Amino acid sequence: MAIKTILTEPNQLLRQVSRPVEKVSQEIQNLMDDMLDTMYSANGIGLAAIQIGVPKRIIVIDIGKDKEKKEPQYFVNPIIKNTNSILSTYEEGCLSVPNQFAEIDRPSKCEVEYLDYNGEKKLLKAEGLLATCIQHEMDHLEGILFIDYLSKLKKSMIIKKLSKNKSNRIVV
Ligand code: GNR
Ligand code: NI
């Protein structure tokens, strides 16, 4: 198990479309363990593999409220089968867009089909924060970040700020 570096915007790797996993092998399980370690150490509630530079369709999530009790969820090759036409709004952040937050509308419920940690096929009906988080992570698999939903002006201001911080090696 290891903590990896999380890529931050602007970085072209984050814009890659991730590729499906062929088999949930030991190697993939090790990658999922590293993703979880990395996510917990950054105090995130979700992480997509591309955020640590691996363009595979893998997501880990833990939205458990109790920090002591870990409730990790693993999603390999997730597919959204259904979404609700009712939207809900959450203030979203992203470990790859550090210290920036914005309200984003997304379907309030979704049904997702995926392989779990053991490679078993599962179907999950999600709502609330979990539904939002799954959709945020699924966007990463397509190279999409939440700032892509903002106005051109807001998005460019955020990217400018992040570029500046990067070049100054300052974390605000
Ligand atoms: O830690 C995270 N919090 C969060 C809050 C609201 C909506 C989505 C998220 S996901 C984010 C971690 C992350 O960047 N995952 O890709
Ligand atoms: Ni994110």
Side-chain angles (χ1 to χ4, degrees):
M1 305 238 267
I3 294 166
K4 305 287 186 181
T5 303
I6 297 176
L7 305 179
T8 58
E9 178 80 345
N11 186 321
Q12 276 310 305
L13 280 172
L14 290 170
R15 299 310 188 163
Q16 276 192 53
V17 176
S18 294
R19 292 172 56 86
V21 170
E22 278 179 23
K23 183 174 176 279
V24 185
S25 59
Q26 179 69 59
E27 195 183 337
I28 294 295
Q29 290 177 335
N30 292 344
L31 171 61
M32 291 195 279
D33 293 343
D34 288 350
M35 286 170 63
L36 207 66
D37 280 353
T38 305
M39 182 190 85
Y40 286 135
S41 85
N43 290 315
I45 58 170
L47 193 81
I50 192 61
Q51 293 181 275
I52 56 167
V54 180
K56 293 187 191 296
R57 302 186 79 84
I58 305 172
I59 291 167
V60 296
I61 292 177
D62 189 338
I63 55 159
K65 287 194 189 99
D66 187 351
K67 287 215 168 155
E68 304 300 307
K69 200 162 106 231
K70 293 189 172 154
E71 293 171 27
Q73 289 180 276
Y74 307 87
F75 302 84
V76 177
N77 299 342
I79 295 172
I80 291 194
K81 287 289 184 185
N82 242 318
T83 56
N84 193 344
S85 59
I86 300 169
L87 303 181
S88 67
T89 308
Y90 271 92
E91 169 131 283
E92 296 196 16
C94 180
L95 297 173
S96 296
V97 187
N99 305 306
Q100 308 300 317
F101 303 90
E103 288 197 335
I104 306 291
D105 297 331
R106 298 184 189 270
S108 63
K109 297 184 184 184
C110 65
E111 266 182 47
V112 58
E113 192 182 276
Y114 59 99
L115 301 176
D116 69 8
Y117 191 86
N118 299 310
E120 284 171 29
K121 197 166 162 177
K122 292 280 167 71
L123 182 69
L124 175 74
K125 291 180 185 176
E127 57 181 58
L129 181 58
L130 180 59
T132 293
C133 192
I134 288 171
Q135 293 172 71
H136 172 114
E137 303 310 336
M138 299 268 317
D139 273 355
H140 279 298
L141 305 185
E142 302 302 323
I144 297 168
L145 300 173
F146 80 90
I147 54 172
D148 299 348
Y149 299 114
L150 305 177
S151 70
K152 273 190 176 173
L153 180 64
K154 278 189 185 166
K155 180 178 168 180
S156 67
M157 275 168 35
I158 288 175
I159 292 176
K160 209 169 144 185
K161 221 184 282 180
L162 294 176
S163 314
K164 226 179 189 172
N165 295 347
K166 260 190 186 179
S167 62
N168 290 337
R169 294 165 188 276
I170 291 171
V171 182
V172 180

